[in-house]
Amino acid sequence: MITIAITVFTLAGVLALFWFGGWEERVVGAMVLVLLVLVRVVEPIQIGNWRAGVAALELAFLIAILWLTYARDRWWLTALAGFQLISVLTHVVLLLAAGRHFVWTAVTIRLEVWLLICITFFVGAWEAWAARRFAREGGSHAQDKHRSGLVGLDAIQRP
C-alpha cells in the first residue's frame, strides 16, 4: 500500500514538472520516469548483499542532476542534488559497513529522502511557473540584484 502511495506521489510530482516546468524540469521528469523503470532492471545486479546496480543508477542520476544544477539557475535543482547525494551516500554506508545491521536504516533513510525529492518536484514546478510569470510581467533577474549593505557580493556575477 505504501509503495502505491509513493508511486502515485512521484508520478504526480513528475506530472507537475511536465505541466508547469520548462525544459529543465521536463528533463528531470523524463529522467525520473526512466529511473523508475531501470531500477527494476538493475535491481538483481549485486555484489554480495550490496545492490551495486541500484547504487550505480542513483549515482548516474546524481551526476545528471549536478550537471543541470551547474548549467541552469534553478534553486530547486540544488535541493534535489543535495537530497540525491544523501540517497547515494546510504549506498556507500552499506558498502563500508558490510556485515553490520544498517540495511533497514539505509532503506528507511532512502524512502524518506525520496519523499523529500518528490516534494522538491512540486517546488520545481512552482519555481518554473513563477519564473515565467516574473518574466511575463516585465521583471528580470538583473533588476533583482539590489545593493545590500549586509552582503558585499553584489559585484560577483555568475557566468
Side-chain angles (χ1 to χ4, degrees):
M1 182 67 178
I2 194 161
T3 304
I4 294 171
I6 291 171
T7 303
V8 167
F9 191 56
T10 301
L11 293 176
V14 168
L15 182 63
L17 289 175
F18 282 128
W19 189 265
F20 296 105
W23 73 265
E24 303 94 340
E25 289 77 20
R26 291 184 180 119
V27 166
V28 171
M31 284 192 297
V32 169
L33 292 177
V34 169
L35 189 71
L36 290 174
V37 172
L38 286 182
V39 143
R40 302 291 178 230
V41 173
V42 300
E43 209 166 19
I45 301 171
Q46 294 187 357
I47 299 172
N49 287 334
W50 187 57
R51 296 175 12 169
V54 175
L57 189 62
E58 289 207 20
L59 180 62
F61 183 56
L62 173 64
I63 291 168
I65 294 302
L66 284 172
W67 177 80
L68 268 175
T69 301
Y70 293 128
R72 305 302 298 166
D73 280 338
R74 295 278 200 224
W75 286 102
W76 78 276
L77 289 172
T78 305
L80 179 62
F83 294 140
Q84 185 59 28
L85 177 62
I86 294 169
S87 184
V88 168
L89 289 176
T90 62
H91 290 285
V92 174
V93 166
L94 291 178
L95 183 64
L96 296 176
R100 297 196 178 93
H101 302 287
F102 289 117
V103 173
W104 283 111
T105 303
V107 169
T108 303
I109 290 170
R110 216 172 296 131
L111 178 65
E112 292 166 357
V113 167
W114 185 254
L115 290 174
L116 290 172
I117 287 172
C118 290
I119 291 169
T120 307
F121 296 158
F122 291 102
V123 172
W126 173 84
E127 183 182 2
W129 171 83
R132 273 195 315 276
R133 181 175 177 196
F134 187 71
R136 186 175 54 242
E137 292 176 358
S140 75
H141 291 291
Q143 294 173 343
D144 197 40
K145 296 188 186 288
H146 60 280
R147 298 291 296 164
S148 172
L150 298 175
V151 180
L153 299 176
D154 293 319
I156 298 174
Q157 300 258 339
R158 187 171 178 185

